[in-house]
Amino acid sequence: MQTAALVRSRIRKGLWTSHTSGLADEHVQGNLVILPKAQADDFLLYCQRNPKPCPVLAVSNPGDRSLPTLGADIDIATDVPRYRVWRDGELVNEPTDITALWRDDLVSFVIGCSFSFEQALMEAGLTLRHVEQGRNVAMFRTNIPTQPAGPFSGPLVVTMRPLRASAVIRAVQITSRFPNVHGAPVHIGDPSLIGIADLARPDYGDAVDVMPDELPVFWACGVTPQAAIQQARPAFCITHAPGAMLITDLLNHQLASF
């Protein structure tokens, strides 16, 4: 079993630059948004108004690259496998290290990730196809609006995991215990009802097959802020690449509500 510190060390050295699903699977993973202090208050309010897709696990002090509540040795500029750099709402680069871009006014937000409840699903005997196939989870923009705050607004983004009907109720029960990493599903079944035209063409991540005896199950996703960033068009912002998460020292069971 790989420890979170070992995985972060490999990421820091550039030895792992891909998605983190299935890595250090006992540990909480987090989505990342880094904004200048001038936009940080509005973004925090956006998260507070949209706790389902944007459950905040930690917020840094301006200019501080550490996140001591998530891990003693975390350096947010090096410990994510792949970042996204945004300028005026446009994606301009996907580096594996943002040390050269760091500024004294940057505030880091770490937001809960559904990878953190996957361990509990698998321990209950539920098969997750993207993990089984070594793929990133499929993510889709929906027609469900989020609650705006300042310049931040946009559609809810969801992850999709196909499950047999007999497993869906169990999945709802299990993930409901983890509100800090998106909690229970937001939709089950017909994807067109939430504005998804084709499950074979995710907006982010990798497509997986949905078998005839399975239902697509959709959870709120921490990539939602990236859709909001595209709407808000801040002059400068850094996020993680979808699926390439920060792996923390927190254990998944520590986030369970009961």
Side-chain angles (χ1 to χ4, degrees), residues 54-187:
C54 305
V56 176
L57 299 179
V59 182
S60 75
N61 291 318
D64 190 350
R65 287 164 42 173
S66 68
L67 291 157
T69 61
L70 300 183
D73 68 334
I74 287 175
D75 182 344
I76 204 61
T78 62
D79 291 1
V80 170
R82 189 165 296 279
Y83 300 85
R84 282 185 156 187
V85 180
W86 305 80
R87 295 189 185 276
D88 299 315
E90 299 292 331
L91 177 62
V92 297
N93 196 11
E94 289 196 348
T96 58
D97 186 311
I98 56 168
T99 302
L101 297 172
W102 194 257
R103 301 175 359 188
D104 289 342
D105 67 333
L106 294 180
V107 178
S108 300
F109 295 82
V110 178
I111 293 168
C113 169
S114 60
F115 288 172
S116 296
F117 60 54
E118 290 183 343
Q119 179 195 14
L121 292 174
M122 290 186 289
E123 286 179 350
L126 278 64
T127 299
L128 302 178
R129 186 153 300 119
H130 68 284
V131 175
E132 191 176 51
Q133 297 180 342
R135 298 180 182 179
N136 196 355
V137 71
M139 293 164 264
F140 301 87
R141 294 164 69 102
T142 72
N143 61 7
I144 302 170
T146 57
Q147 294 298 312
F152 297 101
S153 63
L156 175 70
V157 176
V158 294
T159 56
M160 188 280 293
R161 296 165 180 82
L163 295 169
R164 290 183 176 177
S166 59
V168 171
I169 293 175
R170 187 71 182 122
V172 172
Q173 292 171 330
I174 291 168
T175 57
S176 295
R177 299 175 55 228
F178 295 90
N180 288 332
V181 290
H182 307 306
V186 295
H187 183 70

Side-chain angles (χ1 to χ4, degrees), residues 41-65:
D41 286 347
D42 279 337
F43 183 72
L44 182 59
L45 182 59
Y46 178 77
C47 293
Q48 290 172 333
R49 288 179 176 173
N50 298 280
K52 194 78 169 172
C54 305
V56 176
L57 299 179
V59 182
S60 75
N61 291 318
D64 190 350
R65 287 164 42 173

Side-chain angles (χ1 to χ4, degrees), residues 135-142 157-160 191-192 194-210 216 218:
R135 298 180 182 179
N136 196 355
V137 71
M139 293 164 264
F140 301 87
R141 294 164 69 102
T142 72
V157 176
V158 294
T159 56
M160 188 280 293
S192 67
I194 56 173
I196 299 171
D198 187 354
L199 290 179
R201 300 181 64 185
D203 294 292
Y204 318 92
D206 301 323
V208 295
D209 294 331
V210 181
F218 301 90

